[in-house]
Amino acid sequence: MVMSRDRENTAGSLSRQTSTASSPEGSEPKVANRSKANIRVSLACVQCRSKHVKCDATLPACNRCQQEDKPCFYAKSRRGIRDPKKRSLISDKPPATSSGSFYSGSNFSSAAPSVQSLHDLPSGWTVNSESQPAVSPKSEKDLLLDLFYSYFHPSYPCLPPKRFFVNHVESDPDSYHFLLSVLNFCGSLYTSEVSSDDLREAAYATACASLPFTVQSVQGLLIMSIAAFGEMKFEHHAGFANRAITMAVELGMNHKAFADGNSNTVLAESHRRTWWCLTFQDSTRALCEAGSTPPITHVDSDVDLPCEEWEYESGIIPQPISQSQYETRVNLGQTDFSSMAYLVEICKIQTDLVIPYHEASEDKKAEIFERADSRICDWLRRVPKWKMNLVDPDGVADVVLYHAVAIAHINRLRLRQSAPRNGLNIRENFPLGPAKGPDRKGQLVKGFGWSSHPIDIQAANSFCDLFRRPFPTKSLRAVFATGILRVALAYLDACVFLGLDSPVFRERLNRLIQILTSHGEMWPLSQKVADDLKVVAKEYLAPRTSQSWRPGISEPEAWNAVTSALLNQTSTIAPSFSFEPYQQVYQVEGWSMNDSSWPNLTDIYQA
């Protein structure tokens, strides 16, 4: 892909970008009509909270917001005001003005996606802005954009929230032509009502052609690289990712000043998130390519950390914190950071320590291993418990932190699995067996009696615990199959090489394969990994001939069949190890073997 043709349009593109950045939002919130009654609440309004100033919590608007003539609204509380009549006086979000038609003659819905990030605040507050896409969209493009924001965007929230994005497209449609074609293609992957073939061809063709040097081009290439990875078009994935990084660096997106120079705070936040999403995807690519170093690691960056998802959706962006400020606050014991900030940190650990571990010389490996593993465990301990809930009582999921926690457990597994198995060719590399480093130490776990189990089994179980939450498979990242493969390998190794074969491990392997199969309806990579795991399981796991167990039976029957410790129950770690992240008890239904929400399991061990 030749970049010289792109450079011809740089000046004009940047001028359009500046014009777009200074364009009005068109969705400045107005003060809603509320009762004049004054009600004391336990926390500040969103405006005061974002500025970290004192709030008198008066309804319908606090005195500070009235004096500054700014919209005042409060996040709904699960605790503070318990009277339903009084709670109804508190608005969830600032009301948005009606926007013009996105596409002519369409019934476009600019509502928030149905799969939201968790809008929890400290002390148990929540902002529940969940809403459904348009029921009967008149335009195919409306449907595709709704689907993109419902399922793809929550995992990669780099674009502005939908209502802001729509306003920018309407004000400058020419700058968004390529990006819209990408969103249409990705949205079509989540529905059978629209064929993806023509949209895929158009998106790939445009992504390979000359593009202006704009943030919209960077975002489009980033999303295309993710989609190409999920579709197993790895050459396209590498090309799109490298081009997006090159373009972003040319624009200066790796510097704090780029986002700070935009007077529109929502766009500035989008620019910061775009840079960090580039780093996430580049790190993921390096994990699957032996000996590969993420190109973006060689780029100096001082980009500030993103805000919370609920702040981003509201459009009221607080003052961002820098990377150095984050490290200072962590050293001081502070934990009140955004989910994206936690994701940035765990991905840095992955890039700085986990990826280099397998390429390091033998005399350096033990040191890197201990540093990486201790950093991951420390990260898991520091994430606040209220954020670790991941799904609030209303079913709203913190998708960003969900993936961050999954990455933490998966990286503990990567450290303990042999380097040749880091790729995706599990059929060929499985016979190589597990690694024989310091990770093969057993760990005493108090469960059903006393037994000895390796730490990687605990990490795999902790990963599986994430699926106790009601989380839609469609919202899993396009590259999520690479992580599930690590977890499945841990269970296969336990059954085949470590002498820990049990019905529970086989059952969980079955469930992981079902998750991959369901995810494979959108992403071929997941289906390929599921098929490979089935082949390996059939070849290396002997069928269970005992009449007391078969895959898919009820949990009580499985318990009666197992004589060793069953790790689907939370374990109490021996004091000498005290890995607190693995001591949590989850009472949420969803992963138990007799869960009726799952279809009947197929016995993958029978030919």
Side-chain angles (χ1 to χ4, degrees):
M1 304 173 191
V2 181
M3 303 299 297
S4 59
R5 296 186 59 192
D6 292 336
R7 201 179 296 274
E8 296 175 3
N9 296 323
T10 302
S13 303
L14 290 176
S15 64
R16 284 198 301 272
Q17 177 190 346
T18 303
S19 175
T20 303
S22 61
S23 63
E25 279 295 313
S27 58
E28 183 70 22
K30 297 181 180 179
V31 179
N33 293 325
R34 305 185 185 116
S35 168
K36 299 299 181 181
N38 288 337
I39 301 174
R40 301 294 295 181
V41 294
S42 58
L43 285 183
C45 70
V46 173
Q47 285 275 23
C48 292
R49 177 176 172 76
S50 65
K51 295 180 180 180
H52 302 286
V53 296
K54 185 175 181 180
C55 178
D56 59 13
T58 302
L59 291 178
C62 72
N63 290 332
R64 184 181 297 275
C65 288
Q66 291 182 34
Q67 293 173 3
E68 297 179 0
D69 193 24
K70 292 185 177 180
C72 181
F73 60 100
Y74 295 84
K76 270 190 178 179
S77 173
R78 293 199 301 266
R79 298 175 183 172
I81 301 178
R82 301 189 182 278
D83 187 341
K85 293 182 180 179
K86 293 181 179 180
R87 287 171 62 92
S88 65
L89 297 175
I90 303 178
S91 101
D92 286 353
K93 53 187 176 182
T97 59
S98 58
S99 58
S101 175
F102 183 27
Y103 301 104
S104 59
S106 70
N107 184 26
F108 179 77
S109 169
S110 60
S114 59
V115 179
Q116 296 286 334
S117 296
L118 181 66
H119 296 339
D120 268 347
L121 297 173
S123 301
W125 283 56
T126 183
V127 179
N128 181 11
S129 60
E130 182 175 1
S131 58
Q132 297 294 333
V135 176
S136 301
K138 297 180 181 179
S139 168
E140 179 181 288
K141 294 181 179 180
D142 300 343
L143 170 65
L144 297 178
L145 191 64
D146 278 340
L147 290 169
F148 173 85
Y149 268 93
S150 294
Y151 298 114
F152 192 101
H153 177 76
S155 293
Y156 303 93
C158 60
L159 299 185
K162 186 161 64 174
R163 62 191 177 97
F164 297 99
F165 180 78
V166 170
N167 293 330
H168 290 303
V169 172
E170 289 177 339
S171 64
D172 187 14
D174 292 339
S175 296
Y176 289 85
H177 175 74
F178 165 56
L179 183 55
L180 284 174
S181 70
V182 173
L183 304 193
N184 289 337
F185 159 57
C186 291
S188 69
L189 299 175
Y190 297 95
T191 180
S192 59
E193 298 180 15
V194 180
S195 174
S196 300
D197 295 340
D198 292 340
L199 296 173
R200 177 183 292 104
E201 182 178 353
Y204 274 88
T206 309
C208 293
S210 175
L211 292 171
F213 269 51
T214 63
V215 174
Q216 293 88 349
S217 295
V218 174
Q219 292 170 334
L221 289 169
L222 167 62
I223 296 171
M224 281 301 299
S225 71
I226 297 167
F229 193 98
E231 293 198 318
M232 300 180 64
K233 300 179 185 295
F234 298 119
E235 291 185 0
H236 285 84
H237 160 72
F240 295 151
N242 290 337
R243 192 178 181 192
I245 293 171
T246 302
M247 195 177 291
V249 172
E250 289 287 336
L251 289 172
M253 294 181 69
N254 56 312
H255 296 301
K256 169 184 170 67
F258 183 85
D260 290 350
N262 198 318
S263 60
N264 186 311
T265 57
V266 174
L267 283 181
E269 176 68 11
S270 174
H271 297 167
R272 286 189 286 268
R273 287 166 172 258
T274 299
W275 175 257
W276 287 120
C277 284
L278 280 172
T279 64
F280 303 156
Q281 186 61 20
D282 205 42
S283 180
T284 301
R285 175 176 48 150
L287 283 173
C288 299
E289 298 177 1
S292 173
T293 301
I296 210 166
T297 59
H298 301 298
V299 178
D300 293 331
S301 171
D302 60 352
V303 178
D304 288 337
L305 298 175
C307 64
E308 283 283 20
E309 300 308 299
W310 69 270
E311 294 170 324
Y312 193 37
E313 290 290 336
S314 72
I316 302 178
I317 312 299
Q319 182 68 29
I321 66 172
S322 67
Q323 299 176 51
S324 60
Q325 287 174 326
Y326 177 86
E327 294 175 359
T328 301
R329 294 181 186 183
V330 167
N331 293 333
L332 293 175
Q334 298 182 23
T335 60
D336 189 14
F337 304 112
S338 69
S339 295
M340 280 284 280
Y342 279 111
L343 177 59
V344 168
E345 183 185 0
I346 195 62
C347 284
K348 280 187 175 182
I349 295 173
Q350 174 178 279
T351 301
D352 296 341
L353 295 172
V354 178
I355 293 177
Y357 168 70
H358 289 298
E359 302 301 321
S361 58
E362 292 298 325
D363 59 326
K364 297 290 186 181
K365 276 193 172 184
E367 177 186 354
I368 298 176
F369 179 92
E370 293 299 333
R371 286 180 58 202
D373 200 48
S374 62
R375 288 274 302 276
I376 295 171
C377 288
D378 178 65
W379 183 93
L380 287 165
R381 277 191 289 264
R382 284 191 288 102
V383 178
K385 290 183 179 180
W386 68 269
K387 290 183 77 71
M388 273 293 195
N389 289 332
L390 298 181
V391 178
D392 73 3
D394 295 326
V396 182
D398 186 343
V399 184
V400 172
L401 190 64
Y402 186 98
H403 286 293
V405 175
I407 289 172
H409 296 310
I410 290 167
N411 277 325
R412 295 202 79 196
L413 289 171
R414 288 186 183 277
L415 289 170
R416 292 165 166 80
Q417 294 175 352
S418 60
R421 287 164 143 204
N422 279 345
L424 298 174
N425 193 353
I426 181 62
R427 294 192 193 186
E428 179 180 342
N429 295 329
F430 180 75
L432 298 176
K436 298 180 180 180
D439 48 285
R440 297 267 47 92
K441 294 178 181 178
Q443 178 164 322
L444 290 179
V445 180
K446 185 177 180 181
F448 186 71
W450 285 90
S451 186
S452 178
H453 293 278
I455 298 176
D456 45 355
I457 294 299
Q458 298 178 43
N461 288 335
S462 296
F463 176 91
C464 290
D465 280 342
L466 296 176
F467 288 96
R468 291 177 180 268
R469 282 84 167 181
F471 193 86
T473 305
K474 283 186 176 181
S475 295
L476 295 175
R477 290 186 170 190
V479 300
F480 208 65
T482 61
I484 293 184
L485 176 59
R486 301 299 115 203
V487 180
L489 267 176
Y491 289 128
L492 284 169
D493 284 344
C495 295
V496 177
F497 297 106
L498 304 181
L500 299 175
D501 193 0
S502 79
V504 173
F505 293 163
R506 292 179 178 234
E507 187 77 18
R508 291 196 167 191
L509 186 59
N510 254 325
R511 293 296 172 94
L512 292 172
I513 290 175
Q514 282 203 327
I515 292 170
L516 287 168
T517 301
S518 177
H519 197 235
E521 295 177 4
M522 288 77 66
W523 303 108
L525 175 62
S526 294
Q527 187 60 58
K528 173 65 164 55
V529 173
D531 293 340
D532 288 348
L533 286 174
K534 289 178 183 179
V535 171
V536 171
K538 289 177 182 178
E539 182 175 356
Y540 291 94
L541 288 180
R544 302 287 297 215
T545 57
S546 171
Q547 296 300 316
S548 62
W549 179 84
R550 66 186 184 281
I553 67 172
S554 65
E555 186 173 5
E557 292 177 284
W559 269 95
N560 293 332
V562 179
T563 57
S564 62
L566 297 186
L567 296 182
N568 63 332
Q569 297 292 324
T570 302
S571 306
T572 302
I573 310 301
S576 59
F577 291 91
S578 65
F579 287 139
E580 295 178 7
Y582 303 105
Q583 298 179 23
Q584 301 180 28
V585 179
Y586 304 107
Q587 301 296 336
V588 185
E589 293 295 327
W591 183 260
S592 61
M593 289 183 285
N594 58 351
D595 183 2
S596 59
S597 65
W598 286 81
N600 292 330
L601 296 176
T602 302
D603 188 350
I604 63 171
Y605 314 108
Q606 301 288 350

